[in-house]
Amino acid sequence: MTEATEREVGRARLRKEDARLVTGQTTWTDNIQLTGLLHLAILRSPMAHARVDRVDVSPALERPGVVAAFAGRDLAEGLGSLPCAWPVTEDIVMPDHPPVAVDEVRYAGDPVAVVVARDRYTAADALEAIEVDYTPLPPVLDLEAALAEDAPLVHADKGTNRCYVWPLATGEDYAHVKERADIVLTRRYRQQRLIPSAMEPRAVVVTPLPASGEYTLHSTTQIPHILRIMLAMVTGIPEHKLRVIAPDVGGGFGSKLQVYGEEALALAVARRLGRPVKWTESRSEGCLATHHGRGMIQDVEIAATREGRLLGLKVDLLADMGAYLMLVTPGVPILGAFMYPGIYKMDAYDFTCTGVFTTRTPTDAYRGAGRPEATFAIERIMDELAAELGLDPIELRRRNWIRREEFPYPSIAGLTYDSGDYAAATDKALALFGYDDLRAEQQKRHERGDPVRLGIGVSTYTEMCGLAPSRVLGDLRYGAGGWEAASIRMLPTGKVEVVTGTSPHGQGHVTSWSQIAADVLGVPFEDVEVVHGDTKAAPQGMDTYGSRSLVVGGAAVHQAAVKVVGKARKVAAHLLEADEDDLDFTGGVFSVKGSPEARTTIQEIAFAAFSSHDLPEGMEPTINAEHVMDPENFSYPHGTHLCAVEVDTETGRSTIRSYVCVDDVGRVVNPLIVEGQVHGGVAQGIGQALYEEAVYDDEGNLVSGTLADYLVPSAVDLPDFVTDRTETPATSNPLGAKGVGESGTIAATPAVVNAIVDALRPLGVTEVAMPCTPQRVWQAIEEASA
């Protein structure tokens, strides 16, 4: 038996997953080929809002190769409404959400009919034969106008476009605090809609077994376990008859944290036809039909003393729900409610979010889910306050952030931050950035009237990660818990299988979980295999989102491995004829204290348990173990991101000159994976700041519906990133980890926009709407000069 010789946690291991992925030995959902496979195509509404008067699918049935075609009414029986698992208030308005529209379409892209054919292209071509008569209805696009008494209604039967109002007021009364403030600033920020652009489009394959009524569904999903439960409810198929597999999944960023109508439709059609069915979206279809992210108006007011001490914060949000409530649509802005105060101390906090229905694609979780929006608002207005007070932005933050010795700290929003050191992260970032030198250069450029201005952007953030504490989620009316499950199987040959309820789609779970298990068990990293993403092979789990995988799922792996060692210790004590307390366990070896020659490895114990020839009395012949982790608190990564941007005032072009980020993500399992997550997150944050926006015309048509119109930054559009870390371990899990999947996205956007505004502030510019395109920057300069 081999023994581990070097500690794995903290080691920059190359990912186990990569060899298979880069050589194409993968199982993407669209790669799956089955005998008798049929292909599904969906006819989508070209109108944002209309009554459906007639749908005739019979012309499509006449096309060669077409097997079946269905209108919404044909599929209504046996298909329930798509689920929303987060009714955030008791009186929330929750309209039905049919997978295919029956009487009315409510956004451009709303499904109207389905064609099933022997190949994908025949199915797609047959869509043009379907005849649909529409009566146009007025679109609902403006969030404020949608709340007017005479506004046209997205759901006429509900009598309102207001979905909910969710308030949170903590600390002192904000109005009283405002009265004693020396300065009160009010700003309006706009979070534009974003279209998730994962490398792999969405796809689903359903394989029925008619004889037993069983179904296997492969999907490009982040949430196989949740998807199984919800599809059972939508279709009426018994949960134990439905197996969901998330095979290799090429990214998600929240867009695959969803129960989509296409998954329910594929299941319904496979059930009706008794044959396997596949659907794969095109890129342009994905722009219309994959849920969007962000989409809100933020009215922010901050009150402070003339010395720069924060007194209170007031936030009023209008959040665009889109046409329907999808899985967690209403809850996404509510997650941000707890993060608007950021890392700062204050006396009062007043927050209200109003959810609004519009005739646009539904919104839902997108990397960061509410927390990037919150961080943007507080970090932007902190820069505005610093400018108003004549303070350096860093100095204003120093005067107000929570100090290291104050942790654990009850935040004004009601959370308890367990650990952190904002000063250490900021000091390291300033040194790496060369902050003072850049400020000096900025001043010289200003004095000589350089048309290319230099701006310096600051973003000091924290976020709530590890979406987990079930009791807290219950208090927020979330429809599920936040626990995570793992089990460890010690095989007779000494190899190890880790079964996890998390479902990776690029995060490196197989590598990190192997490192965690190898360290606890004292076995070689290469001897650990990770099983995931299959509700039959890994039946328990709450899946992957909200930077919860490591701090909840990885912690569950750690604890399950600790239980294995505990069981193995009993067997070792029996075999070595010693008390359990007299045994040392190091590097996978049990030895008797004072008699190191009396030893046995954990692999040998695994075989002894399998053979069961000589086990302690009453012990079952296994040392396998499982653990369900449900932390009592979130985890709170934090950090400081600094961005230097050069802005050409003659063209409006903004170029990132340097970017430095120092993040504290707690204890690091694999530095290489952390670096990758930070780089990817920062890229997406820059994307929102400079490039990405889902644009609709006045009729509600998506005009940025292809990757030719919707700009996603590539590697050549991004600067080199300088990254580093500080470390204050989390206290909410045994690993001390805090999570890193969303930190870069949360921090980057305000850092970039603050830099652009900082460059242009001497010209009178105090705001540039995102994305900060050359046209918008140039226009802001022109308006300020006028």
Side-chain angles (χ1 to χ4, degrees):
M1 298 289 183
T2 55
E3 301 169 13
T5 58
E6 184 179 344
R7 186 162 179 80
E8 286 292 340
V9 170
R11 188 175 176 186
R13 279 279 193 182
L14 293 176
R15 300 197 327 168
K16 282 185 174 184
E17 302 93 321
D18 286 349
R20 208 169 41 78
L21 295 171
V22 300
T23 58
Q25 300 175 65
T26 54
T27 309
W28 309 114
T29 300
D30 190 51
N31 290 351
I32 296 171
Q33 301 297 328
L34 301 165
T35 302
L37 180 66
L38 299 175
H39 294 259
L40 189 148
I42 298 171
L43 181 67
R44 300 184 181 277
S45 169
M47 307 182 73
H49 198 196
R51 189 169 63 246
V52 180
D53 298 318
R54 183 180 71 97
V55 180
D56 186 359
V57 299
S58 58
L61 290 169
E62 297 173 3
R63 295 288 185 98
V66 172
V67 175
F70 306 100
R73 202 172 300 279
D74 302 326
L75 294 169
E77 185 177 350
L79 268 183
S81 176
L82 294 175
C84 173
W86 206 337
V88 295
T89 63
E90 287 188 12
D91 59 351
I92 186 172
V93 175
M94 297 186 68
D96 286 340
H97 184 183
V100 182
V102 177
D103 300 314
E104 196 169 314
V105 292
R106 293 182 170 89
Y107 66 96
D110 209 353
V112 176
V114 175
V115 169
V116 187
R118 292 190 175 91
D119 67 80
R120 178 180 180 179
Y121 303 104
T122 296
D125 290 344
L127 293 178
E128 65 186 15
I130 297 175
E131 298 174 1
V132 185
D133 292 337
Y134 297 101
T135 297
L137 296 171
V140 180
L141 302 170
D142 183 273
L143 293 178
E144 291 177 301
L147 297 177
E149 286 188 10
D150 58 347
L153 298 176
V154 180
H155 300 276
D157 61 317
K158 300 303 180 184
T160 181
N161 290 322
R162 182 179 284 101
C163 177
Y164 66 86
V165 177
W166 193 93
L168 176 68
T170 61
E172 300 179 38
D173 181 76
Y174 176 78
H176 293 162
V177 167
K178 180 179 176 181
E179 288 177 358
R180 68 172 189 261
D182 299 314
I183 183 169
V184 177
L185 288 184
T186 301
R187 294 289 186 270
R188 168 168 282 200
Y189 301 121
R190 173 180 162 273
Q191 295 284 328
Q192 77 271 35
R193 276 175 166 251
L194 302 178
I195 300 176
S197 303
M199 290 183 71
E200 181 194 20
R202 290 188 296 122
V204 58
V205 174
V206 177
T207 308
L209 190 60
S212 62
E214 295 178 280
Y215 299 85
T216 297
L217 182 143
H218 289 78
S219 178
T220 56
T221 183
Q222 299 175 218
I223 53 167
H225 298 90
I226 294 174
L227 182 61
R228 181 193 190 202
I229 295 168
M230 293 300 185
L231 286 179
M233 296 169 64
V234 171
T235 64
I237 295 171
E239 186 182 348
H240 65 283
K241 296 285 189 179
L242 179 59
R243 177 184 184 183
V244 175
I245 299 173
D248 296 312
V249 177
F253 313 118
S255 70
K256 295 170 184 173
L257 165 58
Q258 195 53 266
V259 179
Y260 280 107
E262 293 87 356
E263 292 161 324
L265 285 174
L267 195 52
V269 169
R271 175 170 58 180
R272 181 170 294 202
L273 301 181
R275 290 178 58 180
V277 171
K278 178 192 289 188
W279 172 81
T280 302
E281 72 178 1
S282 67
R283 281 292 178 188
S284 56
E285 190 177 23
C287 290
L288 283 171
T290 296
H291 74 239
H292 292 177
R294 314 288 191 255
M296 66 173 63
I297 296 170
Q298 303 168 305
D299 287 312
V300 186
E301 184 175 278
I302 197 165
T305 68
R306 63 176 54 89
E307 292 78 25
R309 188 176 85 79
L310 300 187
L311 297 177
L313 179 70
K314 189 175 190 300
V315 178
D316 289 297
L317 300 186
L318 291 179
D320 189 351
M321 305 286 97
Y324 298 101
L325 303 183
M326 299 193 76
L327 191 63
V328 294
T329 301
V332 168
I334 304 309
L335 279 176
F338 302 99
M339 288 286 101
Y340 279 87
I343 66 173
Y344 307 115
K345 297 180 287 187
M346 59 190 72
D347 301 330
Y349 175 49
D350 191 314
F351 172 92
T352 304
C353 177
T354 302
V356 183
F357 290 112
T358 62
T359 52
R360 286 187 282 231
T361 300
T363 60
D364 210 296
Y366 179 68
R367 198 171 190 170
R371 287 103 75 206
E373 298 93 309
T375 300
F376 181 88
I378 186 63
E379 289 303 288
R380 280 289 297 115
I381 204 165
M382 284 294 283
D383 260 33
E384 295 301 303
L385 180 59
E388 190 77 16
L389 294 169
L391 289 174
D392 182 273
I394 295 291
E395 176 57 28
L396 177 63
R397 288 163 170 82
R398 287 190 192 279
R399 293 183 185 187
N400 289 283
W401 65 38
I402 303 157
R403 299 187 304 274
R404 177 175 183 138
E405 61 271 18
E406 295 177 292
F407 289 98
Y409 186 86
S411 82
I412 189 69
L415 301 175
T416 299
Y417 297 171
D418 62 334
S419 67
D421 191 339
Y422 308 138
T426 302
D427 289 344
K428 181 175 279 192
L430 292 172
L432 291 169
F433 192 61
Y435 185 82
D436 292 339
D437 290 342
L438 284 168
R439 283 292 184 201
E441 180 185 343
Q442 180 187 47
Q443 180 61 28
K444 290 178 181 177
R445 286 196 185 199
H446 174 61
E447 290 170 354
R448 67 174 182 257
D450 195 326
V452 179
R453 299 281 176 149
L454 178 63
I456 297 167
V458 179
S459 176
T460 50
Y461 78 96
T462 188
E463 60 154 324
M464 53 192 288
C465 274
L467 195 64
S470 295
R471 288 185 294 275
V472 175
L473 295 178
D475 291 340
L476 293 174
R477 301 178 61 85
Y478 182 62
W483 51 265
E484 193 50 77
S487 60
I488 305 287
R489 298 196 289 241
M490 289 292 301
L491 305 180
T493 56
K495 308 301 181 184
V496 179
E497 285 182 335
V498 173
V499 182
T500 177
T502 64
S503 186
H505 41 282
Q507 295 89 343
H509 292 184
V510 171
T511 301
S512 298
W513 283 205
S514 295
Q515 292 178 270
I516 293 167
D519 264 4
V520 177
L521 299 173
V523 301
F525 169 80
E526 294 78 12
D527 286 356
V528 183
E529 190 64 40
V530 178
V531 178
H532 61 80
D534 182 339
T535 60
K536 188 171 184 179
Q540 271 194 300
M542 290 301 295
D543 306 315
T544 295
Y545 42 87
S547 296
R548 68 187 302 274
S549 291
L550 178 61
V551 298
V552 190
V557 171
H558 178 276
Q559 295 298 83
V562 169
K563 289 181 177 179
V564 169
V565 174
K567 286 186 174 183
R569 183 180 293 275
K570 295 182 183 298
V571 180
H574 177 73
L575 296 176
L576 297 173
E577 299 180 345
D579 287 335
E580 291 181 44
D581 293 341
D582 290 335
L583 294 183
D584 288 324
F585 181 66
T586 305
V589 177
F590 289 98
S591 59
V592 179
K593 295 175 182 177
S595 302
E597 69 282 356
R599 65 196 300 274
T600 184
T601 68
I602 196 168
Q603 294 102 323
E604 291 168 335
I605 292 171
F607 188 83
F610 165 74
S611 64
S612 65
H613 295 161
D614 186 15
L615 294 180
E617 191 67 31
M619 185 172 184
E620 295 177 351
T622 178
I623 58 171
N624 297 344
E626 61 183 32
H627 187 81
V628 177
M629 180 74 179
D630 197 351
E632 295 184 357
N633 193 5
F634 301 100
S635 61
Y636 301 95
H638 68 84
T640 297
H641 287 220
L642 302 172
C643 179
V645 171
E646 293 183 324
V647 181
D648 188 328
T649 59
E650 296 175 343
T651 66
R653 179 180 174 84
S654 303
T655 304
I656 298 178
R657 173 168 146 180
S658 61
Y659 195 101
V660 168
C661 49
V662 175
D663 299 289
D664 188 329
V665 298
R667 290 208 174 100
V668 171
V669 173
N670 188 316
L672 198 60
I673 289 176
V674 167
E675 288 289 300
Q677 288 283 0
V678 170
H679 280 217
V682 170
Q684 284 187 274
I686 291 173
Q688 178 172 7
L690 296 180
Y691 300 104
E692 300 184 43
E693 182 177 20
V695 179
Y696 286 83
D697 66 16
D698 292 341
E699 299 301 317
N701 299 304
L702 182 67
V703 297
S704 55
T706 72
L707 290 183
D709 308 296
Y710 184 86
L711 303 182
V712 179
S714 69
V716 298
D717 300 307
L718 300 169
D720 290 333
F721 305 130
V722 177
T723 64
D724 208 334
R725 291 185 297 278
T726 55
E727 183 179 303
T728 52
T731 62
S732 57
N733 63 81
L735 297 171
K738 293 185 175 181
V740 69
E742 297 161 300
S743 298
T745 305
I746 288 167
T749 307
V752 175
V753 177
N754 276 344
I756 292 171
V757 174
D758 182 64
L760 302 178
R761 196 178 297 280
L763 304 179
V765 175
T766 60
E767 183 60 30
V768 179
M770 294 188 294
C772 301
T773 61
Q775 180 180 2
R776 283 183 174 159
V777 171
W778 181 85
Q779 187 174 359
I781 296 169
E782 291 296 301
E783 290 174 355
S785 65

